[in-house]
Amino acid sequence: QKEVEQDPGPLSVPEGAIVSLNCTYSNSAFQYFMWYRQYSRKGPELLMYTYSSGNKEDGRFTAQVDKSSKYISLFIRDSQPSDSATYLCAMKTSGSRLTFGEGTQLTVNP
Amino acid sequence: GAVVSQHPSWVICKSGTSVKIECRSLDFQATTMFWYRQFPKQSLMLMATSNEGSKATYEQGVEKDKFLINHASLTLSTLTVTSAHPEDSSFYICSARVPGGTNTGELFFGEGSRLTVL
């Protein structure tokens, strides 16, 4: 069983839709949770960084962490074609090593 | 955010040759850098952790003699793929940890280097 599970998609939505991306995990020691956006043939770009449970909002992006359910989410409001990319969840314990999900490929259609 | 630069962004080489990829932290000092490998439509797989001034720590299944890592300064780590073969063709990405007071330093990634071995 993988430590981090993420539906690879692909996910296709119309412009302006609310997008929900999710990951589940099995390691209860994970404390730090991140979402990265990766455009084709580029390195991942850090979008959101959350410690422990709770919500964090940054512009159109909201990250949620539910440690009791071992479930994290990223919501994108008013999605734009420029949001089309692969979204990777990642998490770690107090050390530096990241464990990534498979990534969800998102396409926002104009 | 912090800037991590990789060079070259893409390289094509003949089978049997060696290729060096550089990873630089441009606006901060990184005592620890990480090297990942990514195949098409797959996630990032950690290859090794590069520590400044000491030997790299390799993940299980990664050949140390094939993927040579050197972290000679606080801003530069290099990955050398020795005697490259077509199966080594992949997207190699480095990341660096921004030092944080609570050991929660964020990880920023380079743009990646696409290696094609003919």
Side-chain angles (χ1 to χ4, degrees):
Chain A
Q1 183 188 5
K2 295 179 184 177
E3 274 193 298
V4 179
E5 298 276 359
Q6 183 178 8
D7 186 343
L11 180 63
S12 182
V13 301
E15 183 175 356
I18 296 175
V19 177
S20 173
L21 304 167
N22 312 293
C23 289
T24 59
Y25 63 95
S26 58
N27 186 351
S28 58
F30 286 139
Q31 298 179 60
Y32 305 97
F33 304 91
M34 282 145 278
W35 285 95
Y36 287 88
R37 176 175 61 196
Q38 186 177 24
Y39 292 113
S40 181
R41 300 176 183 270
K42 296 290 186 181
E45 170 193 10
L46 181 65
L47 277 179
M48 301 288 282
Y49 177 86
T50 309
Y51 170 70
S52 194
S53 285
N55 294 357
K56 187 173 184 178
E57 187 174 321
D58 184 1
R60 296 185 294 112
F61 298 91
T62 300
Q64 289 185 350
V65 175
D66 182 349
K67 290 192 71 179
S68 63
S69 301
K70 297 189 179 68
Y71 187 88
I72 70 170
S73 300
L74 176 71
F75 297 96
I76 307 174
R77 291 184 299 280
D78 188 24
S79 56
Q80 303 294 311
S82 58
D83 295 327
S84 298
T86 296
Y87 290 81
L88 297 150
C89 66
M91 46 200 79
K92 65 187 182 82
T93 63
S94 58
S96 294
R97 178 179 172 173
L98 277 177
T99 301
F100 283 90
E102 278 193 56
T104 300
Q105 185 180 344
L106 170 68
T107 300
V108 180
N109 301 300
Chain B
V3 179
V4 177
S5 175
Q6 259 184 266
H7 178 80
S9 56
W10 60 273
V11 57
I12 301 173
C13 70
K14 293 182 179 180
S15 185
T17 60
S18 295
V19 174
K20 180 185 284 188
I21 302 169
E22 294 185 347
C23 178
R24 294 181 184 273
S25 56
L26 297 186
D27 50 1
F28 65 98
Q29 293 183 330
T31 55
T32 304
M33 291 183 175
F34 303 86
W35 286 96
Y36 293 84
R37 186 173 180 176
Q38 186 178 35
F39 291 106
K41 298 189 183 296
Q42 294 189 25
S43 191
L44 285 74
M45 298 299 297
L46 180 64
M47 298 174 66
T49 302
S50 169
N51 299 298
E52 188 269 335
S54 65
K55 291 183 179 180
T57 303
Y58 290 82
E59 294 299 303
Q60 190 174 6
V62 177
E63 298 176 59
K64 301 178 184 182
D65 295 332
K66 182 163 191 62
F67 298 101
L68 299 179
I69 291 173
N70 184 285
H71 195 155
S73 77
L74 287 171
T75 58
L76 174 64
S77 175
T78 60
L79 167 68
T80 301
V81 183
T82 62
S83 186
H85 288 93
E87 58 266 29
D88 298 323
S89 299
S90 189
F91 195 50
Y92 293 89
I93 311 174
C94 71
S95 70
R97 177 175 163 239
V98 177
T102 57
N103 197 34
T104 61
E106 299 170 11
L107 289 179
F108 290 89
F109 285 81
E111 288 283 282
S113 299
R114 181 161 301 281
L115 171 64
T116 301
V117 184
L118 303 176

